[in-house]
Amino acid sequence: MHIENLVEMDMFPEPFPVRVIYNRDKKFTYPSHWHNAIEIAVAAKKSSGIVINNRLYTLEEGDIVYISGGDIHGYPLSPGSERIFIIFDLNQLNNGNIFHEEYPYISKTILIKKDVNTELHSQVYRLIEEMLKERQILF
């Protein structure tokens, strides 16, 4: 992966357009960038900062953010934190036929706070845990 003019390139080294990453780098930062893929980020351990469209958000441990394709986002230094990233390209998964009926629901970035959006958070978090187990990523 690399960034050219804010666009993240070469995101999917394998033919299947999905990446699941558990980032344990306690000094992780990533510059502002965008891509067409959807990105889900979870603050797995400790709080984690994220900048989306020039606005800084703090994800408390367990919080989830769903980042719509095209939104500029980056990760400032959040010492000691760990993050889960799930990145997928709906266009490639669906042979270019983006989910037309669902598009209004998936085209906006959503912050899912565990203490505010409890039901939605619980459902999404359970699915993320299943993905990590399927990929044999220790959580």
Side-chain angles (χ1 to χ4, degrees):
M1 294 179 315
H2 65 281
I3 297 173
E4 291 179 16
N5 298 320
L6 289 181
V7 180
E8 189 169 19
M9 310 295 284
D10 302 325
M11 294 181 55
F12 303 107
E14 299 174 20
F16 191 60
V18 175
R19 288 181 32 226
V20 180
I21 302 160
Y22 191 115
N23 180 290
R24 291 180 172 84
D25 182 351
K26 307 284 192 223
K27 295 180 180 178
F28 174 78
T29 63
Y30 204 77
S32 291
H33 64 284
W34 71 272
H35 40 72
N36 289 324
I38 290 170
E39 184 167 326
I40 297 172
V42 181
K45 298 250 169 93
K46 297 195 175 187
S47 63
S48 183
I50 181 170
V51 176
I52 304 171
N53 296 327
N54 291 321
R55 183 172 173 197
L56 177 63
Y57 296 88
T58 299
L59 301 178
E60 299 301 331
E61 186 171 319
D63 288 348
I64 303 165
V65 64
Y66 169 96
I67 305 166
S68 181
D71 280 352
I72 298 172
H73 57 285
Y75 297 91
L77 180 64
S78 300
S81 67
E82 296 180 8
R83 292 140 306 275
I84 299 164
F85 300 111
I86 301 168
I87 305 165
F88 54 98
D89 190 330
L90 285 180
N91 286 317
Q92 290 183 34
L93 285 173
N94 200 32
N95 293 327
N97 185 13
I98 189 92
F99 301 79
H100 293 290
E101 292 177 20
E102 294 84 0
Y103 189 74
Y105 304 105
I106 61 174
S107 63
K108 294 180 176 56
T109 293
I110 303 168
L111 180 59
I112 306 171
K113 304 288 280 180
K114 69 178 181 181
D115 297 333
V116 177
N117 315 95
T118 53
E119 186 176 331
L120 177 60
H121 180 276
S122 176
Q123 293 172 6
V124 173
Y125 201 83
R126 183 179 47 78
L127 292 171
I128 291 169
E129 287 178 323
E130 287 177 20
M131 281 187 234
L132 292 173
K133 285 179 189 172
E134 184 177 302
R135 294 281 187 139
Q136 299 178 341
I137 297 172
L138 297 175
F139 182 42

